[in-house]
Amino acid sequence: TVRIWDYTQDACINVLSGHTAPVRGLMWNPEIPYLLISGSWDYTIRVWDTRDGTCLDTVYDHGADVYGLSCHPSRPFTMASCSRDSTVRLWSLTPLIYPLQINILADRCWDEIIGNTDRAVESGAPPLLCGKVSRDIKQEVEKLTGNPRGKKLRWFSECFSPPGGSKNLWDLVAIIKGQDDSLLPQNYCKGIMHMKHLIRFRMSKAQELTTVKMSKFGGGIGAPSKEERLKEAAEIHLRLGQIQRYCELMVELGEWDKALSVAPGVSVKYWRKLMQRRADQLIQEENDDVIPYCIATGDVKKLVSFFTSRGQLKEALLVAQAACEGNIQMSPLSTTSGSSNSGENNTDDCNKLLHKVSKELAEWYFQDGHAVLAACCHLAVENIELAMANLIRGNELELAISVGTVLGESAAQATHYALELLARKCMTVTTWDLAADLLMMIPDNKLHLVKLCAFYPGCIAEINDLHEKCNLPDVEECMRLAETIQADGDIFETIKYYLLSAEPEKALPIGIQYVKEQLCGSDWTLDSVCPYLDLLSYIRTERLVLHKCSGFRNELLILCGYIGALLAIRRQYNSIVPALYEYTSQLLKRREVSVPLKIEQLSEELDAWRACTQLNTPTDELPCTPPSESQRTVYSILISRIQEEPLKGMVGPDYVSGSNLPSHSDVHISCLTGLRIQGPVFFLEDGKSAVSLNDALMWAKVNPFSPLGTGIRLNPF
């Protein structure tokens, strides 16, 4: 047990029961006064709300006794634990203080963010910050003149975020917004630097190193002893003025330095070719000595490729940036064109190379579960679209909105999408008004507010209050508008107002019939049906699950499953595409419905997608067979319906922090893939079925309903 004492009364005021072995580690959170963390010899960490003794969370990831717990000195919601399993693990406590971060994003008053201990420990009170870090931030914000919102967002973001690159990210945001370089912190050069600083800082580092006399110049590259006759022949050729023959013999003998030293006597072109031959040989040997050869000949692409193949992406980025700044002259052979505009072509080639390498480094960080560092890589070359996309795909929604708000118009589209997703997270019992505040930060927000109000499960009076806040008609007026608009034949507006009325189920037959008619045609696209299904999916859950709605509910789930599969193909969510097709097929088998979809059609489409998209991933055991002509036809029809993703940066799978970390927790098998889940787990509404958090996020972005087919919306954000 853990016992809590009031020393003024000399009495035990609470006993926290749950651990099954001695408790070794204890830590109070310095900002939330009722939050206590305990570590035990039962291998678990428990988080307690000491106001009522509730265990808020139990962590099973350690594989042995948990010995110690500690909090980061300036990031009070980052905690470390150590264990006899020989690991130290870092944890984020921010999910336990929801919705504090959203209060800050929505620019709520200080009283809803910071308070005193007496207020915070009242039973049932929302979390409030009460520690030194938050008080210092408030004092600094109040000292600022003008609009302090940007600084406030940055300081609180760094307070809540773990030390995984958020400070680096904000430094890059400040540079893009024009901050003076003299204000950059001293350790800026140790992280991912903006492209305009990369060369300057590395040159400074090189100058430091040159003060230490460390000459490594030798007499050649490991020249072994050679036959005397060949050497004698080479010397004769040299005296006869046959320099090229001398060079070739020296190359044959491995005396590359001697050959290269006289090669310009033949021609500079010959010397360059000889340098490139030497570089090719060293690359095959994976020898670092290739670097000066590539730089001397200006073969930047070859050197970048060499570093990339070895996983040295930071070195590749440095070389590409040096070429962009003109410090390395690219040879005509390594550029794409030898026209009269060679200077412009060189610059374009260098910039393309820089962005390519930066993108590869970002992808490496992203797939390793470091979305913030991936975003830093993109911001370093001022690719704001991909930086924001990486934050959103890593489910760093609060950080994405903070950064997007500061960056302004250049990040607006992605910021609005992140606000939409975060508002979905807030669609719970206690935070509907916060969801509305977030959506009101989107300029064109009327449809988003309609969906929010349509899904709100309160009584008529509460629904009307939310309608008023969102500047929408009351429930009775919405019913009258729906009936009037239905007579005029505007289907989308009819659905909208029926959903806002006291009888939202009346929207189901109208919307579903329209979608079915579209699917019966041959020229429908995702964009022609998605808005209708998305709007229908916001019908209040208690109405959708009514027995009288079962037929329409089944049809809605099937249609959302099928369209979700196509959206997953569009976004390249490859891990869940088969699961979405299987989900739709199972619903078609088990439920009596009348929809223009056949199980055979779904099977054909899935086979065609697999055949046409996985040509590039053969294995030794299962070599790929090319798709048949019929599969190509089916896939081409699919692609014509899917069209391009409007948010281009969002294409690709989601990877949240910790996706690749090892864990000793109970083994969970994904109900979508049948495979063991690595990384964070998300439990579905039955409390037993589990999927990976990555798959849950991707599923919810393309199909709002649970994979269990219950009609309950999925909310993993």
Side-chain angles (χ1 to χ4, degrees):
T1 62
V2 177
R3 292 175 180 266
I4 300 172
W5 301 79
D6 184 340
Y7 68 88
T8 62
Q9 302 175 30
D10 196 23
C12 176
I13 58 174
N14 210 339
V15 178
L16 309 178
S17 301
H19 283 298
T20 58
V23 178
R24 180 72 177 266
L26 277 178
M27 184 194 78
W28 288 101
N29 183 267
E31 284 289 340
I32 308 295
Y34 58 78
L35 215 57
L36 179 69
I37 299 94
S38 60
S40 166
W41 288 6
D42 64 7
Y43 303 7
T44 68
I45 299 169
R46 288 179 179 263
V47 185
W48 307 89
D49 183 336
T50 57
R51 294 176 298 183
D52 55 11
T54 305
C55 180
L56 300 175
D57 198 10
T58 304
V59 178
Y60 299 92
D61 287 68
H62 276 298
D65 309 353
V66 179
Y67 284 156
L69 304 167
S70 184
C71 189
H72 194 284
S74 61
R75 298 174 186 261
F77 300 104
T78 299
M79 180 192 85
S81 61
C82 63
S83 163
R84 190 168 56 82
D85 68 6
S86 77
T87 65
V88 173
R89 293 172 184 259
L90 295 182
W91 310 93
S92 173
L93 300 175
T94 49
L96 301 172
I97 56 160
Y98 174 80
L100 259 178
Q101 281 180 285
I102 301 172
N103 285 339
I104 294 164
L105 289 175
D107 214 14
R108 293 289 182 93
C109 64
W110 284 115
D111 285 347
E112 295 185 55
I113 300 167
I114 294 176
N116 57 40
T117 303
D118 291 340
R119 274 182 64 204
V121 298
E122 289 176 7
S123 181
L128 290 171
L129 301 173
C130 305
K132 181 179 183 302
V133 173
S134 58
R135 287 198 304 271
D136 289 348
I137 291 174
K138 182 183 177 185
Q139 288 174 5
E140 291 302 316
V141 169
E142 289 174 341
K143 290 178 187 174
L144 297 172
T145 56
N147 183 6
R149 182 159 163 73
K151 289 285 188 184
K152 180 180 175 183
L153 287 172
R154 172 172 184 165
W155 290 335
F156 274 114
S157 170
E158 290 179 356
C159 167
F160 289 122
S161 301
S166 61
K167 187 169 179 57
N168 193 169
L169 183 79
W170 281 108
D171 287 338
L172 290 164
V173 169
I175 292 164
I176 291 171
K177 294 298 289 180
Q179 176 186 284
D180 193 301
D181 290 352
S182 63
L183 299 176
L184 289 170
Q186 283 187 334
N187 62 351
Y188 163 69
C189 59
K190 294 180 180 178
I192 296 168
M193 289 180 280
H194 190 275
M195 56 183 176
K196 70 178 182 179
H197 298 137
L198 189 60
I199 300 302
R200 190 203 321 160
F201 277 97
R202 292 301 287 269
M203 283 180 69
S204 174
K205 180 71 175 174
Q207 286 167 359
E208 279 181 44
L209 292 172
T210 54
T211 60
V212 183
K213 302 297 183 183
M214 293 178 64
S215 175
K216 291 187 177 180
F217 292 30
I221 303 172
S225 58
K226 298 295 177 180
E227 297 179 13
E228 292 297 326
R229 283 165 55 190
L230 280 177
K231 284 186 179 180
E232 186 178 346
E235 293 295 331
I236 293 169
H237 283 299
L238 184 62
R239 285 163 175 73
L240 293 173
Q242 296 171 342
I243 300 174
Q244 186 168 345
R245 183 64 185 138
Y246 168 80
C247 291
E248 293 299 329
L249 284 171
M250 286 294 106
V251 166
E252 192 177 336
L253 290 164
E255 300 271 5
W256 282 94
D257 285 353
K258 290 183 178 178
L260 289 167
S261 65
V262 298
V266 180
S267 70
V268 172
K269 185 178 179 181
Y270 174 70
W271 169 81
R272 194 180 292 276
K273 284 184 177 179
L274 206 58
M275 290 281 282
Q276 288 173 341
R277 283 166 57 188
R278 178 59 171 154
D280 290 338
Q281 183 194 44
L282 290 170
I283 284 173
Q284 286 184 348
E285 297 172 2
E286 295 190 7
N287 191 326
D288 284 344
D289 289 338
V290 71
I291 298 168
Y293 292 93
C294 288
I295 289 175
T297 57
D299 203 340
V300 174
K301 287 186 178 179
K302 185 177 287 182
L303 188 53
V304 166
S305 177
F306 172 71
F307 281 132
T308 303
S309 68
R310 297 175 54 162
Q312 294 175 285
L313 294 172
K314 289 184 179 179
E315 296 300 315
L317 190 66
L318 180 64
V319 171
Q321 180 61 30
C324 279
E325 294 189 16
N327 294 341
I328 302 175
Q329 295 298 321
M330 289 182 74
S331 71
L333 294 174
S334 72
T335 60
T336 54
S337 167
S339 67
S340 58
N341 296 325
S342 59
E344 292 179 16
N345 288 332
N346 274 3
T347 304
D348 289 344
D349 282 343
C350 290
N351 282 323
K352 285 177 184 175
L353 201 58
L354 178 64
H355 281 79
K356 178 176 177 287
V357 176
S358 176
K359 196 171 181 179
E360 287 184 23
L361 182 58
E363 190 62 20
W364 182 84
Y365 276 125
F366 186 73
Q367 292 193 15
D368 200 38
H370 295 96
V372 178
L373 289 175
C376 288
C377 292
H378 290 304
L379 282 185
V381 293
E382 300 201 7
N383 193 331
I384 292 170
E385 180 186 22
L386 289 182
M388 291 292 291
N390 277 172
L391 292 175
I392 293 170
R393 288 170 55 205
N395 205 36
E396 300 283 352
L397 298 179
E398 292 88 350
L399 185 55
I401 293 166
S402 300
V403 168
T405 302
V406 174
L407 288 173
E409 189 59 35
S410 57
Q413 189 180 22
T415 306
H416 300 160
Y417 181 54
L419 283 165
E420 182 187 341
L421 295 178
L422 194 58
R424 284 174 65 176
K425 178 180 178 178
C426 293
M427 288 183 186
T428 58
V429 177
T430 58
T431 51
W432 288 89
D433 57 334
L434 264 180
D437 288 344
L438 290 173
L439 293 174
M440 285 176 181
M441 293 166 68
I442 302 173
D444 187 12
N445 59 23
K446 186 171 182 182
L447 184 57
H448 296 303
L449 293 172
V450 166
K451 293 172 185 175
L452 173 71
C453 292
F455 193 58
Y456 183 59
C459 66
I460 295 295
E462 291 170 334
I463 292 172
N464 279 334
D465 286 343
L466 187 61
H467 280 216
E468 185 179 356
K469 176 171 181 170
C470 297
N471 201 25
L472 293 169
D474 64 31
V475 170
E476 290 182 7
E477 179 63 19
C478 286
M479 176 62 85
R480 285 194 293 272
L481 285 168
E483 291 168 348
T484 304
I485 295 169
Q486 186 177 8
D488 294 338
D490 189 332
I491 293 172
F492 191 81
E493 291 295 305
T494 302
I495 296 169
K496 187 169 80 175
Y497 285 108
Y498 269 132
L499 287 176
L500 293 170
S501 74
E503 299 179 67
E505 59 271 19
K506 286 188 173 181
L508 289 173
I510 299 168
I512 289 171
Q513 184 58 34
Y514 174 81
V515 172
K516 290 197 294 189
E517 288 172 2
Q518 289 288 307
L519 296 186
C520 287
S522 59
D523 58 349
W524 65 273
T525 65
L526 276 183
D527 295 333
S528 67
V529 296
C530 278
Y532 293 85
L533 286 175
D534 183 46
L535 185 57
L536 285 171
S537 74
Y538 282 91
I539 183 172
R540 289 194 284 279
T541 302
E542 72 270 16
R543 293 305 183 101
L544 184 62
V545 298
L546 290 173
H547 180 69
K548 68 176 182 178
C549 294
S550 60
F552 293 127
R553 178 176 69 246
N554 292 336
E555 291 185 353
L556 179 62
L557 294 182
I558 288 167
L559 292 171
C560 284
Y562 176 62
I563 296 302
L566 301 189
L567 284 168
I569 292 174
R570 175 197 267 186
R571 286 205 170 182
Q572 295 178 20
Y573 293 168
N574 295 346
S575 64
I576 65 167
V577 170
L580 281 160
Y581 269 109
E582 178 63 21
Y583 162 87
T584 310
S585 297
Q586 289 298 324
L587 290 177
L588 277 171
K589 280 181 190 174
R590 297 174 184 174
R591 304 184 186 183
E592 291 185 13
V593 290
S594 173
V595 293
L597 294 172
K598 302 293 181 189
I599 294 173
E600 296 78 13
Q601 171 201 342
L602 299 181
S603 179
E604 283 178 7
E605 288 184 5
L606 181 58
D607 289 344
W609 170 77
R610 280 179 167 145
C612 294
T613 58
Q614 299 182 18
L615 285 173
N616 298 325
T617 56
T619 62
D620 294 336
E621 298 82 14
L622 296 169
C624 281
T625 54
S628 65
E629 196 58 42
S630 62
Q631 286 176 329
R632 291 183 193 276
T633 303
V634 170
Y635 185 67
S636 67
I637 293 170
L638 270 185
I639 295 302
S640 68
R641 287 175 178 163
I642 289 169
Q643 301 181 324
E644 282 193 2
E645 167 63 39
L647 294 167
K648 290 185 174 58
M650 302 301 163
V651 173
D654 288 359
Y655 283 99
V656 299
S657 295
S659 292
N660 298 326
L661 291 180
S663 170
H664 293 281
S665 60
D666 296 338
V667 174
H668 297 291
I669 303 300
S670 170
C671 67
L672 296 184
T673 63
L675 303 173
R676 177 178 176 172
I677 297 171
Q678 183 174 8
V681 176
F682 181 80
F683 288 97
L684 301 179
E685 63 270 21
D686 63 356
K688 296 180 292 186
S689 303
V691 296
S692 74
L693 180 55
N694 291 332
D695 284 349
L697 288 165
M698 291 185 284
W699 183 288
K701 288 173 184 176
V702 297
N703 178 10
F705 294 111
S706 163
L708 298 182
T710 57
I712 293 173
R713 284 180 68 94
L714 199 62
N715 195 353
F717 303 103

